[in-house]
Amino acid sequence: MGIADLLAGVEARGAFGVWLGRLDGLPVFQHRAETTHYSASTMKLPVAMAMMRRVAAGELALDQPIQVHNDFASAAGGRFGVNPAEDEAPATWTRMGAKVPLGWLATEMITLSSNLATDLVLEQVGVDAANAVLAEYGSGASVIRRGIDDAAAQRAGISNLMSPADLAAVLVAVGNDKTPGGEYVRDLLAGNQWNGEIPAGVPAGTRVEHKNGWDTTIRHDGGIVYPPDAEPFVLTACTTSELPDAEAQRLIAAIATEAWQHRHDLETVR
């Protein structure tokens, strides 16, 4: 069963998008790859990239201390806080009121997908800087407009959006970035501990540099897969659907398996 067949089997149950290609940025398979979805935690990758740009410019330092707090400026005006019940990474919360290194927060943001750590990093980086990274590599349709859990902004229609094609473009940029900053971000992605999508569809031990995201009706993943016997490939999948979450994860894993099976001749994917 090819990727197109897998997607045809769920088409009536939501919106599904896939982009598959190599680090040259040219797609070999696309399915509704330009359609945007609510980004969920995939927006944390451009945030990390923007952070490393500011580190390289000497404007930030990975070892600089940041006080952990839960009070942020809303994109709609006023203030907001992260809902701890919706944050599956508890470590940052245990440091409330203390100072921790920016690099520690970045690790929590990517490897455990901490929402609180994300908003702390984003506060240092700036929403505009994170959005500029996404705009530089993407089509312009994907955007970062607010922090995680900014409920007032969400009610005002201020949302973060991501398409499979734009997530792939950002991953291609990261994969080709040979600077220390690029290496740092790739190592963060490789340390991701939520591995139920793309990594679940390839052999155990395969290096996968990926960032996923999830919310009600949402399950996304995008990553660079490094087979030991073939060129790396980039795969992104975004799902907004009525599928149970575990089923959406299995779908993305199955798509990754199809890509893996064609890794020696990726153009034969169907």
Side-chain angles (χ1 to χ4, degrees), residues 40-61:
S41 292
T42 61
M43 56 82 73
K44 296 171 184 178
L45 172 55
V47 173
M49 295 167 69
M51 179 192 74
M52 292 311 297
R53 285 188 174 185
R54 295 202 62 188
V55 168
E59 299 167 350
L60 293 173

Side-chain angles (χ1 to χ4, degrees), residues 110-123:
I110 297 297
T111 66
L112 290 171
S113 209
S114 167
N115 292 337
L116 180 58
T118 299
D119 284 343
L120 289 164
V121 173
L122 188 60
E123 187 174 56

Side-chain angles (χ1 to χ4, degrees), residues 67-75 77-82 93 115-123 147-148 150:
Q67 185 166 18
V68 177
H69 60 272
N70 189 24
D71 178 66
F72 304 97
S74 170
R79 311 292 294 180
F80 77 96
V82 175
W93 294 90
N115 292 337
L116 180 58
T118 299
D119 284 343
L120 289 164
V121 173
L122 188 60
E123 187 174 56
I148 301 288
D150 186 347

Side-chain angles (χ1 to χ4, degrees), residues 161-253:
L161 303 175
M162 187 72 75
S163 72
D166 289 343
L167 181 55
V170 172
L171 285 161
V172 167
V174 169
N176 287 299
D177 184 353
K178 305 309 180 185
T179 68
E183 182 177 353
Y184 184 87
V185 173
R186 288 194 298 275
D187 284 345
L188 287 180
L189 296 173
N192 190 343
Q193 297 184 38
W194 299 105
N195 292 312
E197 302 89 19
I198 293 173
V202 303
T206 302
R207 182 177 174 95
V208 182
E209 299 165 357
H210 75 115
K211 186 68 199 83
N212 39 10
W214 57 93
D215 202 342
T216 305
T217 76
I218 299 289
R219 179 59 69 166
H220 309 324
D221 199 11
I224 308 170
V225 180
Y226 292 84
D229 58 351
E231 292 181 42
F233 63 85
V234 177
L235 172 64
T236 63
C238 294
T239 77
T240 304
S241 74
E242 64 182 34
L243 295 180
D245 192 51
E247 188 175 341
Q249 286 185 291
R250 287 194 295 270
L251 173 66
I252 297 174

Side-chain angles (χ1 to χ4, degrees), residues 77-169:
R79 311 292 294 180
F80 77 96
V82 175
N83 182 355
E86 295 184 358
D87 195 343
E88 297 176 79
T92 312
W93 294 90
T94 68
R95 308 299 294 274
M96 191 65 67
K99 290 185 177 181
V100 299
L102 177 63
W104 186 87
L105 290 170
T107 300
E108 290 292 301
M109 173 178 72
I110 297 297
T111 66
L112 290 171
S113 209
S114 167
N115 292 337
L116 180 58
T118 299
D119 284 343
L120 289 164
V121 173
L122 188 60
E123 187 174 56
Q124 298 298 314
V125 170
V127 170
D128 289 345
N131 188 61
V133 169
L134 186 54
E136 177 178 343
Y137 299 113
S139 65
S142 299
V143 292
I144 298 173
R145 293 177 173 148
R146 62 171 174 84
I148 301 288
D149 270 359
D150 186 347
Q154 186 175 13
R155 289 192 297 270
I158 303 170
S159 190
N160 298 327
L161 303 175
M162 187 72 75
S163 72
D166 289 343
L167 181 55

